[in-house]
């Protein structure tokens, strides 16, 4: 039986799709058969970040509506044999997603995969609620700014009240907090919320902190999940995040201002 993990947030642009790509790749590289589903119907981006947009023939909605079977829509990642992508439709409406249709696909995938990652659209509208409804766990992605954290708090309320588990009096969705675009220099200047501030507001266990990094943009533009960039701080932070998701106890890194060595102070950089 697969574990269904939704990657969600209240605010757009915080890094959900980047996180979905990185986490699904990390799980697959750790030996777990994983599928990542793009729930952002009409605005699909996951296939671009996963570098498989030219291989999309059928999509999520095609399968729900019976125009294709699941195996026709699943795309096998060329870099990792354990990873598959189920792309979204660019031409349909989010209302094409139904609870019955989504459940049918998740049930089929659960028979063959260990992890199902649901890449949610931002906000609290229909597509986002479909993405989180059947989740066992949730990675709530937030930037260290007040509006992003406030919107994440709204999403936590929906997870606790409108998920399948909540409606059927089951164990609650397991919540994880992921802070992205973290910059300790700006925190020191008072321009960003600190990690402690965010934890106090949301009261969710901290899964990971991803530092602000040019590597994230470079990875997205090249169609490679940033976790594959092992030399970058962001890539290492996502690798740590996946490790914690799998039960490892790892210290959080990249939380302090990096002190420059003598040569960097003299010559810059």
């Amino acid at each position: 039986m697969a574990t269904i993990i939704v990657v969600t947030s209240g605010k757009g642009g915080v890094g959900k799709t980047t996180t979905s790509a990185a986490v699904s790749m990390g799980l697959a590289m750790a030996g777990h058969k994983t599928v990542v589903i793009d729930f952002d119907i009409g605005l699909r981006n996951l296939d671009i970040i996963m570098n498989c947009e030219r291989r999309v023939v059928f999509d999520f909605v095609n399968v729900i509506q019976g125009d294709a079977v699941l195996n026709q829509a699943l795309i096998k990642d060329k870099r990792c044999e354990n990873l598959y992508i189920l792309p979204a439709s660019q031409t349909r409406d989010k209302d094409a997603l139904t609870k019955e249709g989504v459940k049918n696909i998740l049930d089929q995938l659960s028979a063959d995969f260990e992890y199902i990652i649901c890449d949610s659209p931002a906000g609290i509208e229909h597509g986002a609620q479909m993405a989180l409804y059947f989740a066992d766990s949730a990675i709530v992605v937030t930037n260290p700014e007040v509006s992003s954290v406030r919107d994440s708090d709204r999403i936590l309320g929906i997870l606790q009240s409108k998920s399948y588990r909540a409606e059927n009096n089951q164990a609650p969705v397991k919540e994880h907090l992921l802070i992205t675009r973290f910059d300790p220099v700006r925190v020191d200047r008072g321009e960003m919320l600190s990690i402690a501030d965010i934890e106090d507001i949301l009261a969710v266990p901290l899964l990971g902190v991803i530092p602000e990094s040019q590597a994230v943009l470079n990875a997205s533009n090249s169609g490679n999940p940033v976790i594959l960039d092992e030399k970058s701080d962001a890539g290492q932070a996502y690798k740590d995040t996946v490790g914690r998701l799998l039960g490892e106890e790892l210290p959080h890194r990249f939380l302090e201002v990096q002190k420059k060595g003598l040569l960097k102070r003299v010559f810059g950089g």
Side-chain angles (χ1 to χ4, degrees), residues 15-86:
K16 287 184 301 303
T17 300
T18 294
T19 296
S20 296
V23 168
S24 59
M25 179 63 78
L27 290 169
M29 290 170 62
H32 303 282
K33 193 172 182 183
T34 303
V35 59
V36 56
I37 306 174
D38 190 348
F39 273 81
D40 201 354
I41 308 301
L43 292 171
R44 80 176 187 221
N45 286 308
L46 180 66
D47 55 307
I48 296 175
I49 291 181
M50 300 300 289
N51 197 24
C52 64
E53 69 273 18
R54 294 181 181 178
R55 298 168 61 199
V56 176
V57 178
F58 296 106
D59 57 53
F60 192 12
V61 174
N62 289 142
V63 181
I64 285 180
Q65 296 185 339
D67 302 322
V69 298
L70 186 57
N71 284 340
Q72 289 178 293
L74 284 173
I75 299 172
K76 186 175 182 178
D77 188 85
K78 292 183 176 181
R79 294 154 298 202
C80 183
E81 64 178 6
N82 289 320
L83 181 59
Y84 290 75
I85 300 98
L86 182 56

Side-chain angles (χ1 to χ4, degrees), residues 40-161:
D40 201 354
I41 308 301
L43 292 171
R44 80 176 187 221
N45 286 308
L46 180 66
D47 55 307
I48 296 175
I49 291 181
M50 300 300 289
N51 197 24
C52 64
E53 69 273 18
R54 294 181 181 178
R55 298 168 61 199
V56 176
V57 178
F58 296 106
D59 57 53
F60 192 12
V61 174
N62 289 142
V63 181
I64 285 180
Q65 296 185 339
D67 302 322
V69 298
L70 186 57
N71 284 340
Q72 289 178 293
L74 284 173
I75 299 172
K76 186 175 182 178
D77 188 85
K78 292 183 176 181
R79 294 154 298 202
C80 183
E81 64 178 6
N82 289 320
L83 181 59
Y84 290 75
I85 300 98
L86 182 56
S89 170
Q90 279 188 309
T91 59
R92 308 297 180 93
D93 187 86
K94 290 180 173 62
D95 290 336
L97 298 180
T98 64
K99 287 181 180 178
E100 295 76 15
V102 171
K103 183 179 187 301
N104 181 44
I105 289 181
L106 293 176
D107 286 345
Q108 290 183 61
L109 292 171
S110 291
D112 199 32
F113 289 89
E114 291 181 67
Y115 287 97
I116 300 171
I117 308 300
C118 301
D119 180 24
S120 172
I124 58 174
E125 44 68 53
H126 182 74
Q129 294 201 28
M130 287 295 98
L132 67 78
Y133 185 73
F134 294 103
D136 301 309
S137 297
I139 299 175
V140 180
V141 184
T142 188
N143 291 159
E145 57 182 59
V146 173
S147 62
S148 180
V149 173
R150 181 189 62 190
D151 290 350
S152 293
D153 196 35
R154 181 79 186 278
I155 287 293
L156 288 169
I158 292 174
L159 284 165
Q160 293 160 7
S161 62

